[in-house]
Each structure stands twice: as structure tokens, then as C-alpha cells.
Amino acid sequence: MNRRKFLQHALTASAVSILPVRWVFADNRPTGLEPIDISNLKWAKAEDLPDYYTVLNTNPLNAHPAEHMLDPAVTPANVPFVRWNGLMPEFDKIDPKTWTFTVDGESVVESKTYTIDELKSKFKHHTQRLVLECGGNSRKGFFPGAKGNQWNNAAVYCSEWTGVLLSDVLKDCGVKDDAVYTGNHAIDKHLSGEGPAISRGVPIEAAMNDNALIAWSMNGDDIPFRHGYPLRVVFGGRPASVSQKAATGISVRNKVHDGTKMAAPAYQVPKYPVAPGEKVPNEDFEIIEEMVVKSLITFPQTGIEMPLGQPQEVRGHAWAGLREVVKVQVSYDYGTRWHEAELSKPVNKGAWQQWSINLDLPEQGYYEIWAKATDSEGDSQPVVQPQWNPKGYLFNGCHRIAVRVA
Ligand SMILES: Nc1nc2c(c(=O)[nH]1)N[C@H]1C(S)=C(S)[C@@H](COP(=O)(O)O)O[C@H]1N2
Ligand SMILES: [Mo]
């Protein structure tokens, strides 16, 4: 039965259960940790729950899907979170035939402008799965809360991008020895209508060595407008804010780029540990260059009710910025015991990895399932919250879902 038919079928039979639930492992909850907000959940079969986008903001547009929609290893094009910092481009005025990408800057040997067709014909094509994660993904998890879009854990995705290596294009123009950073440029304007909405960059080593693409295709098709049509720079392992959509070029800079949203505190964290809620002067911030180890539970979706005595597959993805994930563990008793999941290798550097485990939940009642990834350097995810910071970046506390065994 396909999903739509199933939904129609399932909706005729209401399966809403009665609260309050029994807290099977309540005594093991870390002090101060609130239970998951279950007010929006329908205690029903997974298939009864609607698919949706939550719109956080319409001007600029920011919206996220539910976490379970990220279940496929390659995120389908209609699923990813959508993030714009300013006015969205006038999509109907974009013509891929005349669109150009310019490499310039103090530290380029020869400035050049390419059409998309020229990029396609001149350089080798590469297809890679790359994780794009907003620096503010999971911001909602911080206590005290940090201002900004209250992202759930789904401001991340891993689609398949096809394009040319940024390094091949930069080599074609020549990069001077004094190059230190890139400045990435896009077409969209600041909300005021004046100046760029965002122009971020990466250390020059990242542009030359990383999985950095100038891409014209996502999952084998044109990039959807909202994700960067007709051309996007995509940097694996870095905060997604550097992956400029509707990209018009890159400047090779002889200093750290000073474009819009490069200055503190945007996309920056304090240089030293601060107390939750503490005020931090702008000069004490530093740029977030890499994303950190994290995992997501994408199946089952939170709120599911499952039968007693039947092992339940639990699965998801894990990623670790520029590192590899070496272990994923799952707990259903608030971290008292951890069970190691099976974990795949990344298909290429910068792709997220898939993990899965069969859980046999011991008795009827309410459970939280937590997932925790560990990376190749031995770093793993905090179970409560990571280092608090004023702008709420880099939250990588364990993802938790709520299930009931009936
Ligand atoms: N042109 C342009 N590119 C952009 C942005 C933007 O506002 N304009 N936002 C950045 C940020 S902060 C994020 S998190 C990602 C979001 O990518 P997505 O909309 O494909 O999910 O795009 C990045 N690239
Ligand atoms: Mo972002």
C-alpha cells in the first residue's frame, strides 16, 4: 500500500491514547532536563502523523521539516530546511544561459568570469553527497534560549551535488601565495534592499582541499530555486552559511573575508567557555570554521506507538564536520545504558553515515530514545547541552525521540 493510501486508510481509525503516560525510566533522567515537549504529538501510529514544514519566519523565509522526513540517505529535494538571510532572489528573472560566476580578489593571479556552460565544458564533473548544516541547527535545544530561528534538529540535510571542484576553477585562475580566505558572493539582497544578504567565506585551504563544489545540480536535477538555482557553492563539513546559494562568484582574499555576516557575533562563538546567559563582547568571538559530531534519529518518528514484544528498528544518520563518525550508540533509559548501533562508512568525505539498531523495549510505557555519535578524534555528543553561546550555534546534544510501547 502506498503511503497516501495508507494515510487515508489509517485516518478513519483514530488511535489516540490517554495521558498521563507512565515514565518507565523517569528516575534516570538527568537533573534539570525537561521531558520532550509532547504537546504537539498525536499518540497514534506513525502513519497517522502528518508530514509538514514548520515556518519559523516568512521575511526572510526560514522553514524546517520534521526530523523523520530526513530518513532517506540522500535527502530528496522537497525535504530540506529552507534558510534565507535576506530577500529571496527574483527567481523568474534568473536565466541559466546568461548566469555567470566570477573569480576575482586581491590574491587571484587572473580574474575570470565563466558561464555555467563554460564551467561544465572546461572542468571535470564531480558528484558528492555533502552535509549542509546550519550553524544554528537545533538552536531550540539551548537553555537559556538563544535568539534567532528556533531550529529543530532538521536544519541539516545531505543531498547529492554535481558540479566542478572549486579548487579546479581557482587553479585555472591562479591563487597567489598570500591568499588566506575566500569571499563567496550571491545574488540575493539584504532585507533593506541594499547590499548583499550574506557573503561568507572559508580559509583558502578549505577551498583548495575540501570537498568544495560549484554545483549546478542537486540529486541529478536542477537545483530547486529555494536551494540555490542555478549555481551554488557547496562546502562539506562547514557551517552551511558558507555555501552560498544563487552564487555569482568567489573572491580570493588576502585577509579574512569581511563580507556581510562575517563580523561577530554572526556565525561566531566565544573564544573561551562562558556561562549560560553570559554577555560576551564582540571582540571575544571567533568564526565557526567546522561543524561538530552529531546524529539524528529519523526512524521511527517521534510520537510513535509500538507493540510490546516486537523488536523495533531505530535508525538515522551521523556526521562529524570534517571528521568521520566511528561509533553510534543508542539508549532508551536516559543514558543509563548505551547500545552500539551498526554504522556505515561515508560514501565520500563530507557525506553523512547511516546507523541502525533493533531495540526490544522491555515493558509497556513511555520511553525516550537517545542517539549519541562519537567521531574519529574521540569526541562525542553531550547528553544535556553543549557549551552555551550567545547566538545558539553548534548545538549537538543527543537527539531524543519519544515512543510508547502499548
Ligand atoms: N544566497 C544565499 N545563500 C545562502 C544563504 C542566504 O541567505 N543566501 N543562507 C545560508 C545559510 S545561513 C544556510 S543555513 C544555508 C541554507 O541552505 P538551504 O536553504 O539549502 O537549506 O544556505 C546558506 N547560503
Ligand atoms: Mo545557517
Side-chain angles (χ1 to χ4, degrees):
M1 206 175 342
N2 70 31
R3 190 177 148 75
R4 184 170 295 274
K5 277 210 193 112
F6 189 95
L7 272 172
Q8 282 163 358
H9 196 77
L11 283 172
T12 58
S14 164
V16 181
S17 307
I18 300 146
L19 294 170
V21 293
R22 193 176 146 219
W23 292 77
V24 186
F25 291 109
D27 293 346
N28 298 330
R29 257 194 306 141
T31 338
L33 184 68
E34 289 307 309
I36 293 176
D37 176 9
I38 56 173
S39 52
N40 290 325
L41 299 181
K42 256 170 48 176
W43 289 100
K45 299 282 176 269
E47 291 83 351
D48 293 353
L49 296 175
D51 293 351
Y52 57 83
Y53 263 102
T54 301
V55 176
L56 298 176
N57 206 338
T58 50
N59 187 36
L61 180 66
N62 293 289
H64 64 69
E67 286 123 355
H68 71 269
M69 290 175 73
L70 292 168
D71 192 44
V74 177
T75 311
N78 61 346
V79 167
F81 79 103
V82 183
R83 164 80 171 124
W84 291 96
N85 283 266
L87 301 171
M88 277 195 282
E90 291 180 75
F91 294 130
D92 53 349
K93 296 208 177 126
I94 293 177
D95 177 1
K97 286 282 160 217
T98 56
W99 189 270
T100 56
F101 188 89
T102 298
V103 179
D104 60 11
E106 306 93 356
S107 296
V108 75
V109 176
E110 189 190 346
S111 176
K112 291 189 186 181
T113 295
Y114 307 87
T115 63
I116 297 177
D117 282 341
E118 279 163 356
L119 288 174
K120 283 182 179 170
S121 60
K122 205 162 176 192
F123 303 99
K124 188 167 176 250
H125 295 190
H126 294 259
T127 295
Q128 293 181 356
R129 290 184 201 171
L130 297 171
V131 173
L132 285 179
E133 180 178 18
C134 180
N137 187 25
S138 315
R139 177 176 287 128
K140 196 177 152 180
F142 275 114
F143 184 82
K147 277 201 204 114
N149 284 304
Q150 296 301 297
W151 297 112
N152 68 351
N153 301 289
V156 59
Y157 65 107
C158 184
S159 292
E160 208 163 66
W161 298 92
T162 300
V164 297
L165 288 182
L166 173 60
S167 56
D168 283 348
V169 177
L170 294 185
K171 281 177 204 154
D172 188 52
C173 301
V175 172
K176 292 187 193 164
D177 287 346
D178 66 350
V180 288
Y181 227 82
T182 70
N184 312 342
H185 307 293
I187 198 153
D188 46 322
K189 292 272 170 282
H190 188 267
L191 283 182
S192 64
E194 296 296 317
I198 186 169
S199 172
R200 304 208 65 244
V202 297
I204 191 69
E205 305 78 49
M208 299 311 282
N209 305 321
D210 275 13
N211 299 40
L213 298 176
I214 307 173
W216 54 77
S217 166
M218 177 176 161
N219 296 347
D221 294 316
D222 285 346
I223 302 171
F225 284 125
R226 60 189 177 282
H227 298 299
Y229 184 83
L231 204 60
R232 180 175 196 171
V233 288
V234 189
F235 295 88
R238 313 260 161 190
S241 52
V242 302
S243 292
Q244 253 63 96
K245 307 191 270 192
T248 52
I250 282 203
S251 302
V252 185
R253 307 294 317 263
N254 63 2
K255 57 178 182 183
V256 173
H257 184 49
D258 50 3
T260 310
K261 302 241 173 175
M262 282 300 293
Y267 303 104
Q268 300 202 11
V269 289
K271 291 174 183 159
Y272 47 82
V274 302
E278 198 171 320
K279 286 229 168 14
V280 180
N282 278 357
E283 60 270 23
D284 287 356
F285 281 80
E286 63 188 7
I287 298 173
I288 301 166
E289 299 289 10
E290 298 173 21
M291 296 308 288
V292 293
V293 63
K294 198 160 173 179
S295 58
L296 200 58
I297 304 167
T298 56
F299 185 88
Q301 73 190 73
T302 194
I304 196 180
E305 191 174 84
M306 48 177 80
L308 183 64
Q310 269 180 35
Q312 169 72 44
E313 188 193 2
V314 177
R315 64 174 185 250
H317 315 291
W319 62 99
L322 301 173
R323 303 174 183 173
E324 192 174 318
V325 176
V326 295
K327 184 162 70 178
V328 172
Q329 295 162 293
V330 173
S331 175
Y332 53 83
D333 52 12
Y334 300 92
T336 305
R337 290 188 190 196
W338 291 95
H339 309 274
E340 191 159 342
E342 286 191 41
L343 175 68
S344 73
K345 287 271 176 196
V347 294
N348 54 254
K349 195 177 174 212
W352 64 18
Q353 298 165 243
Q354 283 58 62
W355 60 265
S356 78
I357 190 169
N358 279 317
L359 288 186
D360 214 345
L361 298 178
E363 58 176 310
Q364 287 191 359
Y366 172 92
Y367 296 83
E368 287 188 17
I369 298 176
W370 296 6
K372 179 170 72 165
T374 303
D375 72 21
S376 46
E377 303 287 315
D379 289 351
S380 66
Q381 300 181 248
V383 290
V384 181
Q385 72 169 337
Q387 169 66 58
W388 185 93
N389 60 90
K391 299 279 283 178
Y393 294 124
L394 296 177
F395 186 98
N396 70 336
C398 291
H399 183 205
R400 304 140 67 199
I401 65 162
V403 303
R404 285 213 329 156
V405 173

